Amino acid sequence: MSKELEYLSKRVVARKLSRRHFMGRAAALGLTATGASTMLSSAVYAQGPVKGGTIRVGVPGGSTTDSLDPATTTNQTGTMINRFWGEPLVELAPEGGLENRLAEEVSASADAKVWTFKIRSGVNFSNGKPLTADDVLATMERHAGEDTKSGALGIMRGIKNMRAEGDKFIVELDTANADLPYLMTDYHLMIQPNGGKDDPAAAIGTGPYILKEVDMGVRFVVEKNPDYWGDLGHADTVEVVVINDNTARMAAIQSGQLDMVGRVPPRTAGLVARAPNINVHSTPGPGHYVFIAHCNTAPFDNNDLRLALKYGMDREEMLEKILFGYGSIGNDTPINSSYPLFTEMEQRTYDPDKAKFHFEKSGHEGPILLRTSDNSFPGAPDASALYQQSLAKAGIDLEIKREPNDGYWSEVWNAKPFSTSYWSGRPTQDQMYSTAYLSTADWNDTRFFNDQFDQMLLAARAELDETKRAQIYGDMGALVHDEGGLICPMFNDFIDCTTNRLAGWVDNHKGHDLMNFYAPMKMWVAG
Amino acid sequence: MPLFLKLLVQRIALGLLLLLLVSMLIFWGTNILPGDVAQSILGQSATPEALANIRAELGLNEPALSRYFDWLGGLVQGDLGTALTSGKDIASSLGSRLKNTLFLAFWAAVIAVPLAIFLGLLAVRYRERWPDKLISAVTLASISVPEFLIGYILMYFVGVKLGWAPTVSMIHDGLSLGQKLNAIALPVAVLTMVVLAHMMRMTRAAILNVMQSAYIETAELKGLTMFTIIWRHALPNSIAPIVNVVMINLAYLVVGVVVVEVVFTYPGMGQYLVDHVSKRDVPVVQACGLIFAAVYIVLNMVADIVSILANPRLRHPK
C-alpha cells in the first residue's frame, strides 16, 4: 500500500482531510472506491487495536485426517488455518465487494475474457523467498491440473490459458466472466512458493502468522509473522483448538478457557447471550437449508407437484423452531440479500389450499418419500417432521426416511430424488448458479435442466453493466422460484461468540462465520 | 514352572490368532460401509475427476483382497503403513495418541482401583448397614447414568459454575505434569465413577462368599478384628475374581473411553479412531483395532495368570 495513501488516510482520521477528497485522491492513485473505503475504515481502526497477547479460539470441523495442503481443505478449521499462513490474490471485503491482497491491481479486458493481476512487490514468503508472479502461476496450475485433487478444480475449469509476465499474472478465459476475481477468493487458492509443488503441506505462505505447533484435528498454535507486509494480526499468538462437540465448545468459552468460538448452536445461543462476559454475534450469510427434488424424476418431474411442495412449506414456523429465529426465510431460490446483485421477489407463503390445488392438478397419488439425515443440516429430521405436518394440512402425505450420517453425501444427496441438504452459498450469483443450477453443473442437485436459464447465466457472466446483470439475475431467480426443484425454507445466520477480553468485532462481515474466519486476525486482546 | 510356561505360550499363540481374525473382521467391516475414503475426503464437494484422481493416488482401484494382504505383509515387518487421508506415518501419530490414552487410563486406574477395593472392603465390613447401602447406591447410580451425561454435569457444575477444573482437557507436550493432571481432572473423575461400581460390587461379592467359610469363623474365634480378617484372610482368597474384574475395567479405561474423550476434547485414541472411521481410512482403523484388541487380550491374559498364581490348587495341580 502506498505511503501517500496511508498518510492521507491518517489525515482523514485526524479530520485534516475530507473523506470526499481522500476518495478522489485514492481514485487518482488507482484504488477502487471499495478499496479506498476499506483503507479508510482500517485507518479508523488503527487508533483502537492493541498489539500483543494471546487469542484462544475454538472451532468445529477439524479432523485428525486433515492435511495442511490447502488443495484438500474441506472444513472450517482448515479454512481458518489457511488464512493464518497463506493469502489469496484478492479477498472478500468486510462490507461486500473485493479487496486486493497479494494482487496489487486487478484489471480486465473490455470483453472480460482476459484478466490481469499485478502481483504485490516486496512481499516475502515465510521461508524468506520473495513472492513472484511465477509462484502465483504455479499455484493456479497445481489446482487446475488434470491430476489435481484440489477442491478448487471446479472453479478453475473455465480457464483457457494462464501465464506470468514480469510482475503480472494473466488469465485467459474460454468465455467472458465478469466475476473471475471472486473465484480467486476461494480458500483453497493460497499462494505458495512454487505453487506448493515441492511440498504442498509445508504451510509456507505470505500470511500474517506462522504455524508453530500443529496437531491435526486437535490444536494449532500460530505466532505473528514479523515480516508480514499488511495490517492483519494484532495478537502475538493465536491458539486454535478443535472442539467438535457443541456442548463442550460452549462450556469452554463459558468457563473462560477460550476467547472465541464459532458455530454456536441456535438452540443455545440465547442462553449463552445471558452471560455478562460473552457477546453473541449473529451474521446473515448466504448459507441455506434446502429440500431438493429432482426435476427429471417422477413424480417430481411434474411442476405442479413441485409447486404443491413449495406452497406446503411453512417457512416462518421452520425459522422459529429450527433456527430459533437466527436466520431469515427463504423464497425457493438460492439467493438472498447477502449477494451483491440481489433483487427482491414476491415472497411465497404457506398456503395449504394452493398446495392442495396443485397437488390434485399434478394427478399424483400416494405418499411422497423424503430422505433426511442429521448431518444434511442441523435439525434436518425435526424440520422434516414439521414439513410433514404442514403438508398434511394440504392433504399431502409425506413419508420420511431417516438415512445414516455416514455416506449421506455420496449415497443420498445428489443421488436420490428427494432429500434434505445444505448449501453454504457462494460470494456471487454467478458462482452459486454455475455450481448447482447450470445444466452441466456437477452438483446440479435438483436436476434443473433449462436452456433459457443456461443462456441467461452465460449472458450475465459476460455483462459488465451491473444494472443489466442484476436484471438478468432477477429473471433467473424467478425461473428457479417457479420451476426449480429447490424448496428453500430458510437462510441460516452465522452465530459466533466472543468474550469481553477481545475487541474489534465487525458486524455483518461478508463471507463465512467468525468474520469470514479473519476474526482471530482482526480482533485484539483488549486487556 | 514348565506348565506355566506352556500355558503362557499357548495363550500368546491364541492371542495372535485372535488378532489376525480381528484384523480381517475390521477390514471387512470398513469395506461394507457406504462410501470410500475418496468420497469421505471430498464430502459434498466431490467432483468425478477429483474422486478419480484421489482413488488412483491412494491405490483404491486395487482389489480389496490384495490391499489387505499388502497391509498384512507390511504389518509382519513392523510397518503399520501410512494414513490414506493425510499421508502421515501411522505408527508415529498413533504413538502420541496411545501415550495420551494410557496417561488418562493410568491416572483413572490409580484412583479407581484402590478406591473400589477399599470401598468394597468397607461395604463388607459394614454389610447391610448404612455405609454399605450408601456406597452401593452411589456407585450403582453413577454406573447407570450414561458417561457423557456425567461428563456434561461435571462440566457444568465443576467447570463452568465453580471454575475448579478446565472443561477442555487439551494436553500437549508443553505442559508440566501438574498442568496435565489439572487438565484431565474431569475426565478422570468421570471414568472413575463409571468403573467404580463394577469393581466395588465384585470385591464385595467375592469377599462375602469367602466370609462364609469355616476358616473365617476360626479367625473370628481367635479374636481377630473384623478388618484384619477381611484384609489378611478373606481378600487373598478372593483375589482371582477381583483381578478379573479389575482387568476388564482397565481394558475398558483404554478402549472404551471414546465418548469421554470426545466430550472433553481429549487428544487420545478414541477421537483418532472415530475421525478415521468416518473417513474410511482403513489402515488406521486396522491399526487402532489391533491395538485395542491387543490391550484386551493382554490384560485378560494377565488376569488369568494372576488367578493361577493366586490359587495354589491351580498352581500345583495333582
Side-chain angles (χ1 to χ4, degrees):
Chain A
M1 216 168 269
S2 91
K3 287 278 177 227
E4 185 179 359
L5 272 174
E6 210 162 311
Y7 167 69
L8 288 175
S9 64
K10 279 182 187 145
R11 298 259 299 169
V12 179
V13 174
R15 296 181 184 278
K16 284 179 179 150
L17 184 73
S18 81
R19 189 184 156 86
R20 175 186 292 255
H21 191 163
F22 171 80
M23 299 298 260
R25 291 289 289 278
L29 286 164
L31 203 65
T32 61
T34 30
S37 79
T38 310
M39 184 160 178
L40 204 54
S41 63
S42 66
V44 175
Y45 250 35
Q47 291 189 320
V50 182
K51 300 284 174 190
T54 300
I55 294 180
R56 299 158 305 168
V57 187
V59 281
S63 164
T64 331
T65 55
D66 293 346
S67 156
L68 280 175
D69 178 358
T72 62
T73 303
T74 51
N75 53 53
Q76 55 265 56
T77 303
T79 309
M80 178 180 276
I81 299 302
N82 286 356
R83 300 248 204 278
F84 280 114
W85 62 261
E87 281 182 299
L89 287 176
V90 288
E91 185 52 277
L92 296 177
E95 66 281 6
L98 291 174
E99 61 187 26
N100 291 340
R101 297 295 284 279
L102 289 182
E104 218 165 16
E105 206 181 287
V106 181
S107 55
S109 64
D111 61 357
K113 277 190 175 175
V114 182
W115 286 84
T116 307
F117 296 84
K118 182 167 182 281
I119 306 304
R120 195 173 291 282
S121 59
V123 175
N124 287 335
F125 289 110
S126 54
N127 63 1
K129 287 194 185 135
L131 166 76
T132 65
D134 290 317
D135 295 315
V136 177
L137 176 65
T139 301
M140 299 305 165
E141 278 172 356
R142 188 166 80 85
H143 291 277
E146 281 291 310
D147 55 347
T148 185
K149 52 180 177 174
S150 172
L153 176 61
I155 64 173
M156 304 296 286
R157 259 192 213 130
I159 295 175
K160 186 166 73 180
N161 176 29
M162 298 185 284
R163 62 182 191 275
E165 277 176 18
D167 62 350
K168 293 195 174 65
F169 167 64
I170 298 163
V171 178
E172 279 178 42
L173 304 171
D174 290 328
T175 53
N177 188 352
D179 280 342
L180 179 90
Y182 278 98
L183 299 182
M184 295 296 151
T185 64
D186 188 277
Y187 58 85
H188 300 100
L189 301 179
M190 297 292 141
I191 307 302
Q192 294 174 281
N194 192 25
K197 285 176 179 171
D198 313 319
D199 188 356
I204 291 186
T206 62
Y209 285 87
I210 296 172
L211 261 61
K212 286 290 167 195
E213 284 177 48
V214 175
D215 192 351
M216 295 314 289
V218 179
R219 180 174 173 270
F220 302 84
V221 178
V222 299
E223 277 174 17
K224 188 83 216 294
N225 177 357
D227 302 321
Y228 182 58
W229 61 272
D231 54 3
L232 280 176
H234 301 301
D236 287 335
T237 315
V238 180
E239 183 181 352
V240 178
V241 182
V242 178
I243 309 179
N244 284 311
D245 186 86
N246 284 338
T247 315
R249 198 163 63 250
M250 298 319 296
I253 192 166
Q254 285 172 298
S255 65
Q257 271 186 283
L258 298 175
D259 306 312
M260 177 191 296
V261 297
R263 291 284 160 102
V264 178
R267 197 185 293 275
T268 47
L271 297 173
V272 178
R274 286 188 211 153
N277 60 331
I278 295 178
N279 306 308
V280 174
H281 312 282
S282 178
T283 311
H288 48 292
Y289 296 175
V290 296
F291 293 73
I292 42 176
H294 286 182
C295 299
N296 66 348
T297 312
F300 307 102
D301 53 352
N302 182 315
N303 197 35
D304 277 302
L305 186 86
R306 298 202 293 270
L307 281 172
L309 292 173
K310 287 174 185 174
Y311 281 114
M313 169 72 72
D314 189 345
R315 296 171 176 76
E316 305 280 353
E317 185 191 31
M318 283 268 184
L319 178 63
E320 202 43 53
K321 293 190 175 155
I322 302 297
L323 282 178
F324 296 84
Y326 288 97
S328 54
I329 56 170
N331 198 14
D332 300 337
T333 82
I335 306 301
N336 68 351
S337 59
S338 72
Y339 284 84
L341 300 171
F342 171 72
T343 43
E344 198 80 41
M345 211 177 351
E346 196 194 338
Q347 176 65 45
R348 181 171 281 140
T349 51
Y350 177 48
D351 191 334
D353 295 331
K354 274 191 187 165
K356 192 173 191 147
F357 167 77
H358 285 289
F359 187 67
E360 281 166 4
K361 202 175 154 200
S362 78
H364 180 76
E365 281 180 26
I368 287 174
L369 180 67
L370 171 72
R371 288 164 207 265
T372 185
S373 78
D374 247 336
N375 67 340
S376 57
F377 64 80
D382 295 341
S384 304
L386 286 175
Y387 194 25
Q388 191 178 39
Q389 296 298 317
S390 68
L391 280 175
K393 285 184 199 151
I396 303 172
D397 181 13
L398 185 75
E399 193 182 315
I400 299 171
K401 182 156 191 246
R402 181 92 177 251
E403 299 277 354
N405 286 352
D406 263 358
Y408 190 79
W409 299 117
S410 52
E411 309 287 315
V412 179
W413 173 75
N414 210 4
K416 297 283 187 275
F418 195 36
S419 62
T420 57
S421 177
Y422 173 71
W423 275 103
S424 58
R426 294 290 183 273
T428 63
Q429 271 114 315
D430 179 65
Q431 243 181 301
M432 187 65 231
Y433 282 136
S434 342
T435 310
Y437 295 89
L438 192 65
S439 298
T440 53
D442 285 325
W443 305 323
N444 186 352
D445 60 5
T446 53
R447 303 287 187 272
F448 183 61
F449 302 111
N450 187 314
D451 292 338
Q452 196 194 351
F453 180 90
D454 294 355
Q455 281 160 16
M456 288 194 316
L457 183 63
L458 295 181
R461 196 182 279 172
E463 182 60 66
L464 288 171
D465 181 339
E466 298 217 329
T467 331
K468 285 186 193 158
R469 282 187 92 189
Q471 174 68 37
I472 305 175
Y473 285 136
D475 295 343
M476 288 164 66
L479 267 181
V480 175
H481 173 86
D482 292 331
E483 296 175 26
L486 166 72
I487 300 154
C488 174
M490 55 205 164
F491 285 79
N492 61 303
D493 284 0
F494 298 117
I495 314 172
D496 306 304
C497 278
T498 56
T499 60
N500 285 345
R501 204 174 151 252
L502 302 185
W505 180 267
V506 177
D507 279 325
N508 297 329
H509 199 295
K510 292 288 179 189
H512 291 278
D513 26 351
L514 289 170
M515 296 165 64
N516 202 16
F517 300 116
Y518 283 105
M521 284 158 262
K522 292 187 175 176
M523 294 186 84
W524 59 86
V525 180
Chain B
M1 213 184 288
L3 178 90
F4 173 68
L5 265 182
K6 190 179 155 210
L7 189 90
L8 195 66
V9 171
Q10 220 174 30
R11 274 324 197 78
I12 290 174
L14 267 174
L16 287 176
L17 183 70
L18 251 177
L19 284 180
L20 184 73
L21 292 175
V22 165
S23 81
M24 285 179 197
L25 201 66
I26 298 170
F27 189 80
W28 177 71
T30 37
N31 265 309
I32 57 170
L33 286 171
D36 70 354
V37 65
Q39 276 168 334
S40 310
I41 290 175
L42 293 171
Q44 197 189 5
S45 67
T47 57
E49 291 103 314
L51 279 178
N53 289 340
I54 291 193
R55 284 196 184 122
E57 187 182 312
L58 297 179
L60 293 178
N61 298 326
E62 304 268 313
L65 213 58
S66 85
R67 272 184 284 142
Y68 176 73
F69 282 110
D70 278 352
W71 173 81
L72 200 63
L75 184 77
V76 175
Q77 297 161 33
D79 177 17
L80 286 174
T82 54
L84 294 179
T85 42
S86 59
K88 272 183 283 196
D89 183 48
I90 295 176
S92 65
S93 33
L94 199 63
S96 69
R97 293 309 190 93
L98 185 62
K99 200 179 76 189
N100 286 346
T101 291
L102 292 179
F103 181 74
L104 181 60
F106 172 78
W107 287 104
V110 161
I111 293 172
V113 175
L115 188 64
I117 292 175
F118 174 72
L119 288 179
L121 299 181
L122 210 62
V124 172
R125 170 71 184 79
Y126 297 103
R127 74 168 171 273
E128 302 304 327
R129 286 161 56 190
W130 70 265
D132 179 25
K133 288 181 175 155
L134 182 73
I135 292 169
S136 288
V138 170
T139 53
L140 285 176
S142 70
I143 201 178
S144 309
V145 179
E147 55 209 85
F148 71 88
L149 188 63
I150 303 182
Y152 286 151
I153 292 170
L154 286 186
M155 208 186 251
Y156 183 71
F157 287 104
V158 183
V160 175
K161 288 287 156 194
L162 298 169
W164 288 351
T167 57
V168 172
S169 307
M170 191 53 71
I171 68 165
H172 50 90
D173 292 338
L175 296 181
S176 68
L177 181 64
Q179 286 170 317
K180 281 185 183 174
L181 289 181
N182 180 37
I184 63 167
L186 288 185
V188 164
V190 172
L191 287 175
T192 304
M193 288 167 79
V194 169
V195 297
L196 204 55
H198 196 187
M199 292 190 285
M200 186 290 272
R201 296 290 294 182
M202 196 44 136
T203 310
R204 183 178 176 277
I207 293 178
L208 278 182
N209 198 24
V210 174
M211 294 296 276
Q212 317 291 329
S213 319
Y215 68 86
I216 298 292
E217 206 172 335
T218 313
E220 266 174 54
L221 293 175
K222 273 203 305 192
L224 294 179
T225 63
M226 194 60 183
F227 214 84
T228 317
I229 294 172
I230 296 173
W231 182 249
R232 295 290 306 276
H233 298 277
L235 183 64
N237 282 303
S238 43
I239 206 84
I242 295 176
V243 166
N244 257 310
V245 170
V246 167
M247 287 305 158
I248 286 178
N249 280 289
L250 287 187
Y252 179 80
L253 285 178
V254 177
V255 309
V257 298
V258 177
V259 178
V260 173
E261 284 184 3
V262 170
V263 166
F264 290 99
T265 329
Y266 186 77
M269 291 276 285
Q271 184 71 61
Y272 185 71
L273 175 64
V274 168
D275 281 354
H276 286 85
V277 169
S278 64
K279 290 279 159 59
R280 312 282 181 270
D281 197 330
V282 181
V284 179
V285 178
Q286 295 268 42
C288 291
L290 278 189
I291 288 175
F292 284 161
V295 166
Y296 253 102
I297 291 169
V298 167
L299 285 177
N300 271 309
M301 202 154 77
V302 171
D304 284 357
I305 293 166
V306 169
S307 10
I308 291 167
L309 293 181
N311 189 335
R313 270 169 303 188
L314 287 175
R315 208 162 43 197
H316 307 289
K318 283 181 192 147

